[in-house]
Amino acid sequence: MTKLNHQDDPSLKSWTKLRNLEIQASGFEGPIPASLSTLSNLQELMISDLSGKGSQFPNISSMKGMKKLLLRNCNITGIIPSYISQMYEIKDLSFNNLHGHIPDLRELSTMNKLYLTGNYLNGDFPKWILDKVAELDVDLSYNNLSKDSLPSTCSDPSLNLYRSYYSTGNNLELAKCLSSRPCSKDYYSVNINCGGPAVTTRNKVYFEADERSGGPAYFLPSTDDSWGFSSTGSPVNAKETSTNYIATNVSILTMDDSQLYTNARLAPVSLTYYGRCLANGNYTVTLHFAEIIFRDNRSYESLGKRAFDIYVQGVIKRKDYDIQHEAGGVDKKVKITLTNIPVTNKRLEIRFQFVGKGTTAVPKRGVFSPLVSAISMKSEFEPPPPSRKPMFIAIGASVVALCVILMTAIGISWRMGYICDTISRDKELRGLNLQTGVFTYRQLLAATDKFDESNKLGEGGFGSVYKGTLLDGTLIAVKQLSSKSTQGNREFVNEIGMIAGIQHPNVVRLHGCCVERNHLLLVYEYMENNSLAHALFEQVVVEIDWPTRQRICVGIAQGLTFLHDESVLKMVHRDIKATNILLDADLTPKISDFGLAKLDEDENTHITTRIAGTIGYMAPEYALWGYLSYKTDVYSFGVLALEIVAGKSNMDYQPNKQCFCLVDQFNKKEAMRMLKIALLCTNQSPALRPTMSEVVSMLEGRRKIKELNMNAIMPEDNELKLQARGQTFEEMQSHDDSQRTEISIKSISSYSNDLTDSQISEKH
């Protein structure tokens, strides 16, 4: 093995005019020689994957013209020296033994990538990173930062904070944003088609889609938070493209279940997949691979070599794994099956890391490091039998009515003592109702202290909502039908039929109902922070900083995606607005109020029906002509997104008032992204609005935002309204981002509120 540190070798000392030094995947041993400090003219220094003895951070203070620095996996100890802040660009100091604080590098205006993953860096998360994240990819995964100092969001695809703070044992947490999202249930298997669409194999095993674009410092959980991945690194001196992170086979694959191997997830340095909310016990992990990038044609294109290490639960399972060698050629599948993998804290982690044993520039500069086609995690024990909870099934009004009649009969029979006569009346107040879905009026009177005014949470068109507490301490929210409501009975039945039995982290949970005499009540999970409108527009002690607003916006979009595309009963909500978005203790948004929701019966592409909703949030084609489709909700979401950015209610708009815009603690890149998406959603043409699944992808940075066509978004009459307020589109373009946000909020608010009740009635 060649050593890099020959003490008597004058070669480095004689290279004082050297400008670029690259030693990667070389097989050299460390430590880095002290004579490196004499190369004062270096502009690019790239050394990686040194085995053997380590060293302190090399003295490179004399290299004033340094533009690119890569010292990865070189077993370097100590702190990052402060003079690093004087260099033009920091590239990669990952997978060393560095400790201490992260230096302030905000003055490096040309820096676009900062990889510090896999060290022991501690102290507070540097706030300056949030100011530069719009133009900077930052990876701080696998470090020991202070948890309290970290942002609580995982929504920025260019900031990787996976396992960035210290935690051990059963308290091991993957990310701060995940620690605030409790598991709704235990999972016993997770199957992922890495880099590809959803697939069902010939053995009827369903693999979830994993089509997110990935990136140099990428970490985003999956929609249901049961799994996710973390990706680190970018190719050195190679073009940044999407193919650096997802590989697609260009030839015809003939193996069984070829769909699993057509695409694969790539990472230039390190790639981690994790399972979350898994039931504790032993698991079998199956890893699927196929070499779909290299060719086997005896040409220069076939000379590359891929090799990486595989870790499961932090324990190395394969060293220098070579897919092509193990499979016996390219475009051939090979599997690794690992049994008895222990899960003790509901988490299972699989990591792939490049450690310098493969090529980096043969046959051309690119990504020849970790590549995986699919991953399966399956428990080696049987799941418990499903709990015997009643299922609420609603397919049309007749079934819904039958459910209501049935629950009415049960409630009356129980109350009269015809059934369950062995159960004492006292037990009615001990939470049994959460298991049956049926509440008695007596229970809800006791829970809400006879609907005392001090327990009142709010009031809407349906009626009042009260906070309730069962004797076992369970908190509930009770929606009481107003006796003055002319639509209450229909909305009550509709609400039960739409969301009974639905479980999604961004849809409010319906526990059950009460139907006694003239009492109609719905019982929901209690939401500690009331509504989004309450938090955004009223003077309340709830801090909604920018990362939280971004997370709330993504959560609402994910909830609507579920209702439109993923729920058994696909539906249009028809009344998406800030008052109908509830917030739990962790400010997780949950869509509520389904009294106006409409099923997409017979999978029609649109539904023509009577007007129902809130002026200011209704799409023009629906408000004016009664044309209802999923794009109606998309429009309402766009208006809501504008409110989230601006921090001002669309319903409060007055032409002579100054518009308010969120200026403190907001991420410029994310705010403009959200604004552009909101404008796309509020396009006058339903066909030009994105779907909610596309909105989620754009918000999370997985899909490129379509170019805004202002003429399509604001046709001539709208543009005239802008001009009447002293702003032409050209003038609008000349403003800075925050001013354009104000103007956009004003124009959309104006347009929505210009649709008066008289105009709508006139159209019908």
Side-chain angles (χ1 to χ4, degrees):
M1 182 70 70
T2 306
K3 292 185 179 292
L4 184 61
N5 60 324
H6 294 300
Q7 297 295 327
D8 300 325
D9 189 348
S11 57
L12 288 183
K13 295 180 180 179
S14 64
W15 294 353
T16 55
K17 294 184 179 180
L18 189 67
R19 294 190 176 184
N20 299 336
L21 176 60
E22 179 177 355
I23 305 174
Q24 292 201 76
S26 61
F28 279 129
E29 287 186 353
I32 297 175
S35 59
L36 182 71
S37 62
T38 62
L39 308 183
S40 58
N41 288 314
L42 273 185
Q43 297 180 359
E44 294 187 5
L45 174 60
M46 291 178 283
I47 303 174
S48 72
D49 306 299
L50 297 180
S51 60
K53 188 177 178 181
S55 61
Q56 291 287 312
F57 201 99
N59 182 7
I60 55 175
S61 58
S62 64
M63 303 173 190
K64 304 298 185 182
M66 180 69 70
K67 296 180 179 179
K68 185 175 295 184
L69 176 63
L70 185 151
L71 296 172
R72 184 181 68 232
N73 196 23
C74 294
N75 201 16
I76 299 173
T77 60
I79 64 171
I80 302 175
S82 58
Y83 62 75
I84 288 292
S85 61
Q86 304 171 12
M87 297 181 176
Y88 291 106
E89 178 184 339
I90 304 299
K91 179 84 173 167
D92 193 342
L93 300 176
S94 58
F95 295 105
N96 286 294
N97 297 310
L98 299 170
H99 62 269
H101 294 247
I102 299 173
D104 190 337
L105 306 175
R106 74 184 72 198
E107 299 303 321
L108 296 179
S109 59
T110 61
M111 181 173 65
N112 54 30
K113 289 179 174 61
L114 177 60
Y115 304 128
L116 299 176
T117 187
N119 282 288
Y120 299 94
L121 298 170
N122 50 37
D124 288 344
F125 170 80
K127 300 301 182 185
W128 60 265
I129 288 179
L130 294 179
D131 298 330
K132 293 182 69 70
V133 76
E135 65 260 10
L136 179 64
D137 293 304
V138 181
D139 196 315
L140 301 179
S141 58
Y142 295 101
N143 273 291
N144 294 333
L145 301 177
S146 165
K147 176 182 176 181
D148 293 338
S149 68
L150 290 163
S152 58
T153 179
C154 297
S155 57
D156 196 312
S158 59
L159 176 59
N160 188 345
L161 297 177
Y162 176 80
R163 289 188 57 178
S164 57
Y165 58 92
Y166 181 75
S167 59
T168 59
N170 289 332
N171 295 319
L172 176 67
E173 293 176 345
L174 303 177
K176 187 175 181 179
C177 65
L178 289 177
S179 65
S180 63
R181 304 182 194 181
C183 299
S184 60
K185 66 174 184 178
D186 283 346
Y187 291 86
Y188 295 85
S189 66
V190 176
N191 304 299
I192 310 161
N193 185 21
C194 305
V199 168
T200 300
T201 67
R202 62 173 184 162
N203 294 326
K204 307 303 181 185
V205 178
Y206 177 75
F207 283 76
E208 295 184 52
D210 175 29
E211 298 180 286
R212 289 169 291 180
S213 58
Y218 193 93
F219 168 56
L220 278 180
S222 64
T223 302
D224 61 6
D225 287 345
S226 64
W227 63 273
F229 74 88
S230 165
S231 178
T232 300
S234 54
V236 178
N237 293 332
K239 185 178 180 181
E240 184 74 38
T241 68
S242 60
T243 58
N244 293 336
Y245 309 102
I246 291 183
T248 301
N249 187 62
V250 296
S251 61
I252 299 176
L253 299 178
T254 58
M255 73 278 279
D256 294 336
D257 297 322
S258 61
Q259 313 98 303
L260 285 182
Y261 305 95
T262 302
N263 300 98
R265 175 72 61 189
L266 272 169
V269 177
S270 178
L271 174 64
T272 298
Y273 275 91
Y274 66 85
R276 181 176 177 267
C277 301
L278 299 174
N280 288 337
N282 284 349
Y283 281 71
T284 294
V285 173
T286 305
L287 307 176
H288 301 255
F289 303 97
E291 181 54 71
I292 59 174
I293 295 181
F294 293 140
R295 299 294 88 200
D296 190 12
N297 54 11
R298 299 184 180 276
S299 70
Y300 182 65
E301 294 292 321
S302 67
L303 297 180
K305 179 183 178 182
R306 183 186 312 282
F308 52 90
D309 292 351
I310 302 174
Y311 295 80
V312 178
Q313 297 294 61
V315 177
I316 190 164
K317 297 296 183 179
R318 295 291 188 275
K319 185 73 176 173
D320 302 331
Y321 188 74
D322 184 333
I323 298 173
Q324 184 175 353
H325 174 75
E326 297 294 333
V330 303
D331 296 342
K332 295 181 179 180
K333 68 179 183 180
V334 61
K335 294 192 298 185
I336 296 177
T337 300
L338 305 168
T339 59
N340 298 319
I341 302 299
V343 171
T344 58
N345 51 24
K346 293 184 176 291
R347 299 169 181 87
L348 201 166
E349 183 183 88
I350 303 161
R351 185 164 66 88
F352 310 91
Q353 184 179 343
F354 177 78
V355 288
K357 299 299 176 64
T359 58
T360 59
V362 177
K364 59 184 177 181
R365 286 194 179 271
V367 180
F368 308 130
S369 38
L371 177 146
V372 59
S373 299
I375 291 175
S376 294
M377 313 173 199
K378 182 175 175 57
S379 67
E380 296 175 357
F381 53 95
E382 291 296 323
S387 58
R388 300 182 64 181
K389 294 183 180 179
M391 294 183 62
F392 294 85
I393 304 174
I395 310 176
S398 60
V399 178
V400 173
L402 181 61
C403 290
V404 174
I405 293 171
L406 178 61
M407 285 189 286
T408 302
I410 293 173
I412 294 173
S413 299
W414 193 346
R415 184 172 179 272
M416 298 300 291
Y418 296 145
I419 61 175
C420 303
D421 54 358
T422 60
I423 301 176
S424 69
R425 290 299 179 89
D426 291 339
K427 287 188 177 180
E428 291 180 12
L429 303 177
R430 297 188 183 278
L432 296 178
N433 40 337
L434 289 178
Q435 298 179 19
T436 65
V438 178
F439 291 76
T440 67
Y441 188 64
R442 180 184 172 190
Q443 282 177 299
L444 300 183
L445 272 177
T448 60
D449 196 13
K450 297 182 179 179
F451 297 100
D452 188 87
E453 195 70 16
S454 64
N455 285 323
K456 191 172 183 178
L457 299 174
E459 188 164 359
F462 186 103
S464 301
V465 182
Y466 294 85
K467 178 182 178 180
T469 307
L470 300 176
L471 288 188
D472 64 0
T474 302
L475 295 177
I476 56 174
V478 182
K479 182 189 286 188
Q480 184 182 45
L481 170 64
S482 171
S483 59
K484 300 177 183 180
S485 174
T486 58
Q487 303 181 74
N489 288 292
R490 180 174 61 249
E491 294 181 10
F492 177 86
V493 172
N494 202 58
E495 185 101 358
I496 294 175
M498 290 297 178
I499 66 167
I502 283 182
Q503 293 190 43
H504 187 274
N506 299 116
V507 177
V508 71
R509 178 77 181 276
L510 176 66
H511 288 315
C513 66
C514 171
V515 184
E516 285 188 20
R517 297 190 184 91
N518 61 338
H519 300 300
L520 298 178
L521 303 104
L522 294 172
V523 181
Y524 297 92
E525 61 178 318
Y526 176 69
M527 305 296 285
E528 290 81 353
N529 281 305
N530 207 290
S531 70
L532 179 58
H534 184 71
L536 282 179
F537 311 140
E538 300 177 25
Q539 298 298 320
V540 293
V541 188
V542 179
E543 181 183 354
I544 309 290
D545 57 14
W546 174 255
T548 304
R549 294 181 192 226
Q550 165 74 4
R551 179 167 59 86
I552 288 172
C553 199
V554 172
I556 298 169
Q558 290 174 337
L560 281 172
T561 299
F562 173 79
L563 298 176
H564 291 180
D565 301 326
E566 300 167 3
S567 172
V568 175
L569 299 178
K570 297 177 175 59
M571 66 190 77
V572 184
H573 186 280
R574 288 207 291 177
D575 203 17
I576 293 297
K577 57 183 177 182
T579 53
N580 286 345
I581 305 298
L582 305 182
L583 301 174
D584 68 8
D586 300 314
L587 297 177
T588 298
K590 296 179 184 280
I591 301 170
S592 70
D593 266 316
F594 287 77
L596 301 179
K598 184 74 173 175
L599 286 177
D600 185 5
E601 297 169 348
D602 298 327
E603 298 184 353
N604 292 329
T605 57
H606 70 277
I607 309 162
T608 304
T609 183
R610 66 180 182 85
I611 296 296
T614 303
I615 300 299
Y617 293 88
M618 285 194 285
E621 74 278 1
Y622 178 53
L624 297 174
W625 301 292
Y627 183 92
L628 182 68
S629 70
Y630 293 125
K631 296 300 181 71
T632 305
D633 282 350
V634 175
Y635 184 94
S636 302
F637 171 83
V639 176
L640 180 58
L642 291 172
E643 291 182 324
I644 292 172
V645 174
K648 179 172 176 61
S649 172
N650 187 43
M651 304 305 293
D652 293 340
Y653 173 75
Q654 295 179 19
N656 60 346
K657 290 177 68 174
Q658 293 292 324
C659 284
F660 171 80
C661 184
L662 177 68
V663 294
D664 294 326
Q665 286 189 332
F666 82 100
N667 181 298
K668 179 179 177 181
K669 178 181 177 182
E670 288 181 352
M672 291 310 301
R673 177 196 300 153
M674 194 183 297
L675 176 58
K676 290 177 182 178
I677 294 168
L679 291 175
L680 286 174
C681 292
T682 52
N683 198 302
Q684 303 301 295
S685 170
L688 296 180
R689 294 175 206 151
T691 64
M692 287 311 305
S693 61
E694 290 173 331
V695 169
V696 172
S697 296
M698 289 187 287
L699 283 171
E700 293 181 340
R702 297 184 280 112
R703 177 187 288 267
K704 184 178 180 182
I705 300 174
K706 299 174 184 177
E707 291 297 322
L708 292 174
N709 183 345
M710 298 305 294
N711 289 328
I713 293 174
M714 290 181 285
E716 291 184 3
D717 59 338
N718 254 14
E719 194 165 335
L720 288 174
K721 289 177 185 176
L722 274 178
Q723 293 175 2
R725 294 179 177 86
Q727 297 289 345
T728 65
F729 174 61
E730 287 73 17
E731 291 171 329
M732 178 178 167
Q733 291 283 61
S734 68
H735 288 289
D736 62 26
D737 293 335
S738 61
Q739 289 173 310
R740 285 202 297 273
T741 303
E742 294 180 8
I743 296 167
S744 300
I745 295 288
K746 181 179 287 187
S747 64
I748 296 298
S749 299
S750 172
Y751 178 78
S752 299
N753 286 281
D754 281 346
L755 300 175
T756 63
D757 290 323
S758 59
Q759 285 176 306
I760 293 173
S761 300
E762 193 176 355
K763 291 288 181 183
H764 289 272

